[in-house]
Amino acid sequence: MKNLNKKYLLIVLFILILPFFSYAADEKFEKKQFGTYEVSLSQNYHNGLGKIVIKKGNDKVFEESEIENHYSFGNDFDPVLEGPDLYSGRDITGNGSPHLIISNWTGGAHCCHFVHIFELGKKFKKLITVQANSSSVRFVDLDHDGFPEIEFLDGAIDYKFACFADSPGGRVVLKFKKDHYAVAPELMKSSSPTLRKIKNLKKVMSLAFAKNDNPDLPYNFLNTMMELSYSGHFNLALKLADEVWPIDKPGLMKFKDEFSKSLHESIYWKAL
Amino acid sequence: MAKKIQSKKAAAVEKNIHPWRLCSYGRHWVREHSMHTPPSKKNPGGSTTIRHAHCANNPSGKDQLYHDEIQEIAGKSFIHVNEKPCPLDLGFKGKGAEYDDFIAGWTKYWNDILTPVEPLRSNVVKALIASESGFNPEMLANKKNSNSARGLMQILNSTRKMLGDERGELHDHFLTVSKNELNDPNTNICAGIRWLFQKQKLASSYLGRNASWEEAVLNYKGKLKSKPNDVEANKQKKIFKKYLDSLVKCEKS
């Protein structure tokens, strides 16, 4: 009798464990506890619905769902680190409360990346959603104050003057100031380039045009424009464009207008 | 004995999901390669043996494509594909028409496997590649980040992982390729089109009807759900359409 009971128990256990070893999965589900907060992430593989639910005790404080949203704990978009969530549950702003980092990738071949940061204090608060589009995102302590800033590339000119891959991003840094994240110009701006540096930049930009064999504007030209514009030297960028643009190539004024317009439409560059 | 072998072979061929595939469903092709046995007490010099090309089992029992078989299929079968995209270079001199055979072959392959309501046209794929990479096969979107989008169809490392994840959202017809293999134009196009089909499926789910391939492309670019006045999304639509219209006009002339 005892042997029979053991056999039945083994069969029941086997049936319960079997789904974990099967290759067919209908849904991905993950749940974590941070003090009184319970965070659950799910992805339905049939209709693609991704969902995040945050509860404080029994009260739902946040919910978001959308087809093709892929949520995960931590920053999934670090260019180097793959794996553990280094910051959730820790105070990353210095205001004494623990925080939660959630990545959301909307399932495009390379777009779009969002990083949500929530405050899990006495009061629940969503601090920011970083809209990083196709860029990687780094949490890095640039000013060595013990708390990480958020660094990524702003795709303000993606597709506008070249194919996606040849559209450089502009470096953006967000820092937590008082009670919110804001663009940190002090961590983005650089000192004015020397004459020698400007001469080298012009050389790079001119060479880019000389080597260009397709209808798009060349990467090195656009990259220099973006690097200058996002480090506080927008006017210099436009001036260099005037100086290196090939004489026989039409469209300089149109390019400058559209470049300027694209940057002014960026929520990040505007703050710089 | 000979009859038994013959019937086994016939059964294997019958189970092939596509006439171009080298192995039956649930198995993948491994090319001939050398295997080195390190030195040991019994064999102080070590040894090298040749492992002949063979079909290996997929642990999941489902369909998996690997880089080796992707190369074999293209080499042996694409020459016979008639439905090629328009041979325009779209202004990308020396490159724009270089991958037409791969585009035609993998478009036909995935149409045959996944049987969409409306077949994907190879011109759509070509226009997508033009807008994503300008036909540069080793393009890395963020030059400093090896996980960023790469290759002709600008595929992210996370997309690459999903294409091979047998426990993930694809359910079947997976691709297992490495980051570096995505620099190969043939492999990149195979993977990109497979992902485009997934984007079409999910776009249909989102829209509540069968999504067009133009909508699938928008979803591929992450812009299907953008608001009507989204400047960036509209710009991307315009660029893609410009390339597609050129290819379609060429087709009609």
Side-chain angles (χ1 to χ4, degrees):
Chain A
M1 190 65 174
K2 271 187 187 176
N3 283 341
L4 205 60
N5 284 342
K6 269 187 192 171
K7 272 187 187 169
Y8 279 128
L9 185 63
L10 281 169
I11 290 167
V12 167
L13 273 171
F14 179 72
I15 290 168
L16 285 171
I17 293 166
L18 191 60
F20 292 101
F21 294 99
S22 75
Y23 278 90
D26 292 328
E27 190 185 58
K28 181 183 117 176
F29 184 81
E30 212 179 338
K31 189 158 75 175
K32 283 191 182 178
Q33 196 78 29
F34 298 94
T36 55
Y37 289 90
E38 178 193 272
V39 184
S40 52
L41 311 178
S42 61
Q43 178 91 41
N44 183 307
Y45 289 151
H46 287 293
N47 61 15
L49 186 74
K51 195 173 181 181
I52 170 175
V53 177
I54 304 176
K55 287 182 180 174
K56 186 178 182 192
N58 291 325
D59 299 324
K60 195 187 295 183
V61 292
F62 183 82
E63 181 175 337
E64 184 180 89
S65 63
E66 180 67 89
I67 289 176
E68 295 209 69
N69 278 5
H70 298 76
Y71 294 104
S72 50
F73 287 101
N75 174 24
D76 237 12
F77 310 124
D78 192 290
V80 176
L81 299 172
E82 279 186 51
D85 175 6
L86 296 175
Y87 294 107
S88 293
R90 287 170 50 183
D91 174 9
I92 63 166
T93 65
N95 65 356
S97 297
H99 295 93
L100 170 69
I101 320 292
I102 297 287
S103 299
N104 176 22
W105 167 47
T106 56
H110 52 73
C111 186
C112 296
H113 300 163
F114 299 91
V115 178
H116 303 296
I117 302 178
F118 303 98
E119 193 168 280
L120 305 181
K122 282 184 184 165
K123 223 179 167 186
F124 173 82
K125 195 177 172 189
K126 183 176 171 190
L127 289 183
I128 189 172
T129 295
V130 179
Q131 298 175 41
N133 276 351
S134 301
S135 169
S136 55
V137 179
R138 282 208 314 158
F139 279 65
V140 55
D141 184 4
L142 291 168
D143 57 5
H144 310 293
D145 64 351
F147 302 104
E149 282 70 50
I150 304 165
E151 183 187 66
F152 62 98
L153 296 176
D154 182 20
I157 64 167
D158 281 354
Y159 292 100
K160 286 179 184 167
F161 308 108
C163 65
F164 164 73
D166 264 348
S167 301
R171 179 178 168 266
V172 174
V173 177
L174 303 176
K175 182 176 173 60
F176 192 77
K177 296 177 179 181
K178 285 187 186 166
D179 62 353
H180 67 283
Y181 276 97
V183 172
E186 69 278 16
L187 296 173
M188 291 164 61
K189 283 183 175 174
S190 65
S191 50
S192 295
T194 59
L195 285 173
R196 192 175 176 183
K197 171 95 180 173
I198 290 172
K199 193 178 171 189
N200 281 338
L201 288 175
K202 279 172 67 173
K203 205 175 170 183
V204 164
M205 293 164 94
S206 299
L207 201 59
F209 273 112
K211 283 185 173 178
N212 194 33
D213 59 358
N214 66 61
D216 297 341
L217 288 181
Y219 176 83
N220 281 341
F221 166 76
L222 292 170
N223 191 42
T224 307
M225 294 289 294
M226 291 295 274
E227 280 185 353
L228 287 170
S229 301
Y230 278 75
S231 58
H233 308 292
F234 176 62
N235 289 335
L236 176 59
L238 293 179
K239 183 170 177 281
L240 290 186
D242 281 334
E243 291 176 15
V244 306
W245 194 272
I247 296 167
D248 55 348
K249 187 178 175 65
L252 171 59
M253 288 313 299
K254 189 181 175 195
F255 163 72
K256 282 166 64 178
D257 281 344
E258 283 190 22
F259 183 80
S260 180
K261 193 176 167 198
S262 301
L263 262 54
H264 279 89
E265 281 168 358
S266 159
I267 56 172
Y268 299 114
W269 188 83
K270 258 191 281 202
L272 184 62
Chain B
M1 181 69 171
K3 272 187 185 173
K4 267 191 183 172
I5 294 168
Q6 195 64 31
S7 65
K8 263 191 178 172
K9 272 189 182 172
V13 166
E14 273 171 19
K15 273 174 144 185
N16 245 355
I17 53 165
H18 195 279
W20 293 349
R21 294 297 294 270
L22 302 170
C23 304
S24 55
Y25 182 84
R27 308 180 86 204
H28 65 274
W29 176 253
V30 181
R31 64 177 168 80
E32 182 178 285
H33 59 280
S34 54
M35 277 174 54
H36 179 67
T37 310
S40 63
K41 275 184 188 171
K42 272 189 184 176
N43 191 4
S47 62
T48 302
T49 50
I50 302 291
R51 190 89 201 271
H52 293 295
H54 62 280
C55 289
N57 288 332
N58 300 326
S60 64
K62 294 198 172 181
D63 177 38
Q64 272 279 8
L65 259 179
Y66 285 73
H67 179 71
D68 288 349
E69 191 169 359
I70 290 171
Q71 303 310 309
E72 287 287 323
I73 289 172
K76 288 180 178 165
S77 308
F78 286 2
I79 197 163
H80 306 295
V81 175
N82 292 327
E83 305 94 333
K84 296 209 196 313
C86 218
L88 279 183
D89 67 9
L90 296 172
F92 297 95
K93 296 186 182 76
K95 297 185 285 188
E98 198 175 326
Y99 308 107
D100 285 357
D101 285 348
F102 293 145
I103 293 170
W106 290 116
T107 303
K108 175 171 170 50
Y109 176 81
W110 287 118
N111 274 330
D112 290 346
I113 295 287
L114 299 169
T115 59
V117 168
E118 184 200 327
L120 173 63
R121 292 151 7 245
S122 53
N123 279 336
V124 169
V125 178
K126 188 165 175 174
L128 175 56
I129 291 174
S131 66
E132 288 295 311
S133 65
F135 299 98
N136 188 336
E138 293 185 17
M139 190 71 90
L140 195 60
N142 179 350
K143 319 301 174 199
K144 295 171 192 170
N145 174 13
S146 67
N147 287 331
S148 69
R150 69 170 62 219
L152 289 171
M153 295 190 76
Q154 288 292 284
I155 299 169
L156 269 180
N157 196 36
S158 37
T159 306
R160 178 188 69 82
K161 287 179 187 174
M162 292 188 80
L163 284 167
D165 184 1
E166 290 166 330
R167 289 185 171 87
E169 62 179 74
L170 258 61
H171 294 284
D172 203 348
H173 308 298
F174 308 99
L175 259 90
T176 296
V177 295
S178 70
K179 258 194 266 185
N180 285 340
E181 284 165 351
L182 279 181
N183 289 338
D184 171 69
N186 181 26
T187 300
N188 194 285
I189 290 172
C190 177
I193 296 177
R194 178 64 183 96
W195 194 240
L196 183 60
F197 269 84
Q198 179 65 4
K199 295 295 100 185
Q200 194 272 342
K201 177 186 160 192
L202 291 175
S204 301
S205 179
Y206 174 74
L207 295 167
R209 56 165 171 80
N210 190 54
S212 68
W213 284 107
E214 285 78 359
E215 285 164 336
V217 164
L218 258 190
N219 204 23
Y220 186 99
K221 291 173 183 285
K223 296 295 174 188
L224 179 68
K225 297 166 207 160
S226 302
K227 293 181 182 148
N229 59 354
D230 184 318
V231 171
E232 197 186 317
N234 287 335
K235 181 81 186 182
Q236 289 186 35
K237 268 189 230 177
K238 197 176 165 191
I239 290 165
F240 169 74
K241 200 145 182 346
K242 177 187 86 175
Y243 288 129
L244 185 60
D245 285 349
S246 300
L247 292 169
V248 168
K249 268 185 205 161
C250 152
E251 211 178 78
K252 287 177 181 168
S253 61

